[in-house]
Amino acid sequence: TIGARSTNFSVVRLRRDLLARSSVGVLFENRDKSLATSGSNQAWGMDGSFGLTRELSLLSYYARTTDSFKGGDISYRGQLTYNADEWGSSLEHLLVGKDFNPEIGYARRKAFRKTAASGRYSPRTRSISWIRQLTFQGSYEYFRNVEFNYKEEENYGGHFGIEFENSDGFSVDFTHGYERFDTNQRISGATVLAGGYDNPDLRVSYSLGPQRPYSGSLSFRWGRYYEGTVTSVGLNRGRIEVTPQISIEPSISFNWIDLPHALVPGHYDQHVAVTRVTYTMTPRAYVSGLLQYNSGTNTLSGNFRFRWEWAPGSELFLVYTEDRDTDVLNRWSALQNRGFVIKVNRLLQL
């Protein structure tokens, strides 16, 4: 009824290890019925990961699509990273052309150039016995539209963190973000008007060490949000070890969002609760179930998975998913979609 055509999707990936810590690879993808032309769509690329030293590494790729060959159908990236215990830094440059169009879905954003840099200093304290390590970090990233030559996005900020001797952690993060929209955008259930927005943001969190029978991260956030405000309180990455075989991973986030300058001004609160339960039957097999509720979209989602490593490096997955709309009359929920997937991985050692 919507005119969808039967379509074949194919991907070939080859990768070769070099020396101890490096690799190179190529990728080719094909969609036999293009969404943009009457023919097919192909994309190809090559990439490399090079461990220059134990602390210094280089990542790079070059990719191209075959639709237009106008010069804007390329994408490339280079990232140089230094990651030692006390010092760290990163430099990155990324380009995605306006005509880069891999239709299997590897490009979520087009026509931009990104430049980013970060620096970190992480001294280990000897004079304070209950502190293991401190972290001071700054970062900057800049996105520019390569089709119309204007600033799309800019983010900069700082991070301060403390790792305690008991593996607990405390952190404070400040970020200042800028975003520009050429058209109205749907964000957090509201329609945000086109324009440029500055969004400064402050986050504070405390994390319990993973060695405890219970762990998680408590966080608080406050900031400007598209000419409004956002206040958040949450428990993330929670984990309760009921028995050595059974674990519960709860997460909950309360987000109070006020957007007085949206197309329809008002409060667009988003509260999300997630719980995952995992039962490990053997070291090679487990069953897990995840339930998530989102008050902003009034949806209840479930994901249930069985995983079995039937041979070293080879796995069988059985996955069932279901989404329900809870904002309906006379019934507690209405089915939105449902799916069942069987996936098998087989490791061939040549």
Side-chain angles (χ1 to χ4, degrees):
T1 57
I2 63 173
R5 296 184 296 171
S6 178
T7 306
N8 289 325
F9 301 87
S10 304
V11 178
V12 176
R13 166 67 168 165
L14 298 175
R15 188 175 73 92
R16 173 71 175 178
D17 291 337
L18 298 177
L19 303 176
R21 302 175 57 249
S22 302
S23 66
V24 294
V26 294
L27 176 74
F28 176 80
E29 63 92 356
N30 178 74
R31 176 176 179 149
D32 75 330
K33 293 183 176 60
S34 171
L35 295 173
T37 68
S38 58
S40 60
N41 173 272
Q42 294 86 32
W44 62 269
M46 60 187 74
D47 66 301
S49 173
F50 306 97
L52 306 179
T53 68
R54 292 185 61 182
E55 295 84 14
L56 187 64
S57 62
L58 173 66
L59 296 175
S60 63
Y61 80 79
Y62 177 89
R64 190 165 193 170
T65 56
T66 58
D67 278 357
S68 59
F69 290 100
K70 298 176 182 178
D73 57 353
I74 65 172
S75 176
Y76 58 81
R77 177 195 182 203
Q79 183 179 30
L80 185 66
T81 302
Y82 179 79
N83 189 23
D85 182 67
E86 186 173 10
W87 295 92
S89 62
S90 177
L91 294 173
E92 179 187 7
H93 186 76
L94 168 66
L95 170 72
V96 179
K98 66 182 181 66
D99 297 314
F100 185 68
N101 184 38
E103 291 188 20
I104 286 188
Y106 293 114
R108 300 181 180 180
R109 183 175 181 176
K110 300 179 183 180
F112 75 91
R113 186 184 299 273
K114 172 189 175 183
T115 303
S118 67
R120 173 182 57 81
Y121 174 53
S122 304
R124 292 186 178 272
T125 61
R126 297 181 179 179
S127 58
I128 306 176
S129 61
W130 47 276
I131 292 180
R132 180 179 300 169
Q133 191 171 28
L134 301 174
T135 298
F136 304 87
Q137 184 170 336
S139 61
Y140 176 81
E141 62 179 10
Y142 181 86
F143 294 81
R144 190 160 196 86
N145 186 287
V146 296
E147 184 175 8
F148 301 107
N149 196 30
Y150 64 82
K151 180 174 70 173
E152 275 189 347
E153 186 177 340
E154 184 181 37
N155 301 286
Y156 59 86
H159 166 84
F160 170 70
I162 303 175
E163 182 182 358
F164 299 102
E165 278 296 334
N166 61 1
S167 295
D168 290 0
F170 171 78
S171 65
V172 178
D173 294 86
F174 172 79
T175 59
H176 186 284
Y178 170 84
E179 287 186 84
R180 170 176 166 173
F181 305 135
D182 290 333
T183 59
N184 296 348
Q185 298 292 320
R186 190 76 173 171
I187 298 175
S188 299
T191 300
V192 177
L193 302 178
Y197 296 90
D198 288 290
N199 299 320
D201 191 283
L202 177 68
R203 301 171 189 247
V204 180
S205 66
Y206 189 92
S207 302
L208 299 176
Q211 82 283 358
R212 301 173 183 268
Y214 53 89
S215 61
S217 177
L218 297 172
S219 63
F220 170 79
R221 172 193 176 194
W222 183 88
R224 299 287 298 172
Y225 195 70
Y226 305 104
E227 298 299 327
T229 60
V230 57
T231 303
S232 301
V233 177
L235 168 66
N236 303 307
R237 300 190 301 275
R239 188 177 188 277
I240 302 172
E241 186 176 305
V242 182
T243 70
Q245 289 77 36
I246 301 175
S247 64
I248 302 175
E249 300 174 41
S251 296
I252 189 166
S253 177
F254 299 96
N255 303 278
W256 296 276
I257 300 173
D258 183 20
L259 295 174
H261 299 285
L263 183 63
V264 180
H267 294 274
Y268 293 87
D269 299 343
Q270 303 271 342
H271 307 315
V272 180
V274 182
T275 300
R276 182 194 300 273
V277 179
T278 301
Y279 173 60
T280 304
M281 296 174 288
T282 71
R284 290 190 173 186
Y286 71 81
V287 177
S288 68
L290 182 144
L291 291 175
Q292 174 175 303
Y293 173 73
N294 188 324
S295 68
T297 57
N298 291 302
T299 56
L300 178 66
S301 303
N303 178 284
F304 306 93
R305 178 171 57 173
F306 168 74
R307 180 255 187 189
W308 173 38
E309 186 178 5
W310 48 278
S314 301
E315 301 167 305
L316 167 67
F317 289 92
L318 305 178
V319 183
Y320 174 80
T321 60
E322 184 172 302
D323 293 335
R324 288 186 168 272
D325 181 4
T326 62
D327 187 23
V328 296
L329 300 177
N330 301 323
R331 290 186 299 174
W332 76 275
S333 67
L335 181 66
Q336 289 185 315
N337 61 71
R338 174 184 291 159
F340 179 69
V341 176
I342 301 174
K343 177 181 176 181
V344 178
N345 295 332
R346 180 67 170 108
L347 176 65
L348 302 176
Q349 296 180 336
L350 303 178

